[in-house]
Amino acid sequence: MTGSDTGVEAATGPITVPRRRWSGRLPRPSRAVAGLVVVVVVALLLVPDLLGLDGVLPFVGFVLVRAPATLAVVVLGLLALAIRARWWPTVVPVLAIGAVSVVALVPRLIPDDPAPDPGPDLVVMVQNVDRGSADVPALAALLRERRPDVLVLPEAGEPFRERLAAAIPELGYRSWSSVPATEPDAMGTAILAGPSLGDVRATPVPARFPWLELTGGALGPTRLVGAHLASPVPGLIGVWPGELTSLARWCAPGTGPAVVLGDLNATEDIRAFRAGTTGCTDAGDAAGKGLLATWPAGLPRWLGAQLDHVLVGGGAAVEGFDVVEVPGTDHRGVLATVRVPG
């Protein structure tokens, strides 16, 4: 038996199984599933507001960076189509979603036509000071240079307000904080009003991080509110949409002239923001600079989100807009010139 077995092996040689080379392509059903997954992920990334998910974590974070995400998706989609034309069943829907996002973004890059001058100019500025950590001497130097009539400082309580007031006594600002001295800077919003405004009054507005409203004096019929809205993060996501829609108190048609400025922790891509600000004009959008990022300050201005806003309504109009830098905080500031009814 041993000899016979050896003879057979010698005659036939070792038995080999042919190996199939992988072509690099998934089976057709797998390709379809993979393509569908890509399209769904891109939709969740770029248009969660159209899917009703812009108030749900983590999708709200995607929509806040819609502009850079849209740019990345469109560029990668076009490159993929150029490299592998046969990927078109996936790439074409991806580019269609990108086009929907582009349509929503482009109007913020087109300046509005100049509005008729309804009254005196008012220079306003908002600067989130990141729990009171902003560089006070640098901020004081900026105030001496730009001389805003109103300065709103989210995340500034009594400690930061006192430090800043002590650095600029010669400018004649009156100042208020929305929280008592026992509260940390992170809880408050401070407002400084220049001497040009005369005898204005500051009234607290209840909110998760209390706001302040200025009325009277040279503001005339205009109400000005300095706001810091809750962030869309775990623990505050339930408060956030309600605070956004509450902005209608100043923006809704028929409520009179108003200026709303602050860290609103939202962009126009959020449905609750659009609902609350109907009737108001965003100064950044009006100037064609609505996609300049104010957060995070450590990244380029084209990469991030414009969370800090100046909104005007009820006959007020926008004349100028600028994004400014102050060291020591994770937010850039916004400085705008608005025209208010006399």
Side-chain angles (χ1 to χ4, degrees):
M1 292 296 291
T2 303
S4 174
D5 290 344
T6 304
V8 171
E9 182 177 345
T12 61
I15 299 173
T16 59
V17 178
R19 299 176 64 184
R20 295 182 61 188
R21 296 182 63 187
W22 185 51
S23 65
R25 297 185 183 183
L26 293 172
R28 190 173 297 275
S30 299
R31 293 203 303 270
V33 171
L36 179 60
V37 169
V38 170
V39 172
V40 169
V41 168
V42 170
L44 293 174
L45 178 66
L46 298 189
V47 292
D49 56 320
L50 300 183
L51 304 175
L53 297 173
D54 56 322
V56 179
L57 292 172
F59 306 109
V60 62
F62 302 154
V63 77
L64 288 178
V65 291
R66 181 184 235 170
T70 299
L71 177 63
V73 165
V74 171
V75 170
L76 291 176
L78 292 174
L79 285 175
L81 203 57
I83 293 170
R84 291 287 187 273
R86 64 173 178 265
W87 291 346
W88 71 265
T90 297
V91 175
V92 169
V94 165
L95 291 177
I97 296 170
V100 171
S101 185
V102 168
V103 169
L105 294 170
V106 165
R108 296 178 225 174
L109 298 173
I110 302 173
D112 293 349
D113 293 331
D117 192 344
D121 290 343
L122 185 69
V123 179
V124 298
M125 177 178 167
V126 54
Q127 174 65 68
N128 184 310
V129 296
D130 191 10
R131 297 161 293 176
S133 64
D135 187 308
V136 170
L139 179 56
L142 182 61
L143 295 179
R144 293 188 186 99
E145 177 187 356
R146 305 301 290 265
R147 298 294 179 98
D149 299 293
V150 177
L151 172 65
V152 170
L153 301 171
E155 298 194 30
E158 275 296 306
F160 190 88
R161 183 200 68 78
E162 291 179 353
R163 288 163 55 205
L164 182 59
I168 51 170
E170 76 281 6
L171 298 184
Y173 281 102
R174 299 172 63 201
S175 59
W176 303 264
S177 174
S178 65
V179 295
T182 53
E183 294 285 353
D185 282 314
M187 294 298 297
T189 294
I191 284 189
L192 280 71
S196 61
L197 290 187
D199 189 21
V200 291
R201 299 177 298 278
T203 306
V205 177
R208 178 65 178 81
F209 304 99
W211 310 347
L212 283 171
E213 183 182 62
L214 288 186
T215 54
L219 290 174
T222 301
R223 297 173 299 153
L224 186 147
V225 61
H228 180 204
L229 274 67
S231 304
V233 296
L236 295 176
I237 188 69
V239 177
W240 177 68
E243 292 199 339
L244 286 171
T245 55
S246 73
L247 295 174
R249 172 177 169 182
W250 295 273
C251 285
T255 56
V259 179
V260 179
L261 62 156
D263 176 4
L264 305 186
N265 274 314
T267 69
E268 196 174 318
D269 304 296
I270 304 294
R271 289 176 301 155
F273 180 86
R274 296 197 294 266
T277 60
T278 298
C280 270
T281 298
D282 190 303
D285 293 350
K289 300 177 180 179
L291 298 184
L292 287 180
T294 61
W295 177 90
L299 295 179
R301 294 187 179 195
W302 59 268
L303 185 59
Q306 191 170 118
L307 302 183
D308 304 88
H309 299 265
V310 174
L311 309 172
V312 299
V318 177
E319 184 176 297
F321 178 89
D322 196 11
V323 172
V324 297
E325 307 267 355
V326 173
T329 171
D330 59 348
H331 282 249
R332 296 183 180 92
V334 166
L335 192 142
T337 302
V338 300
R339 296 170 179 171
V340 296

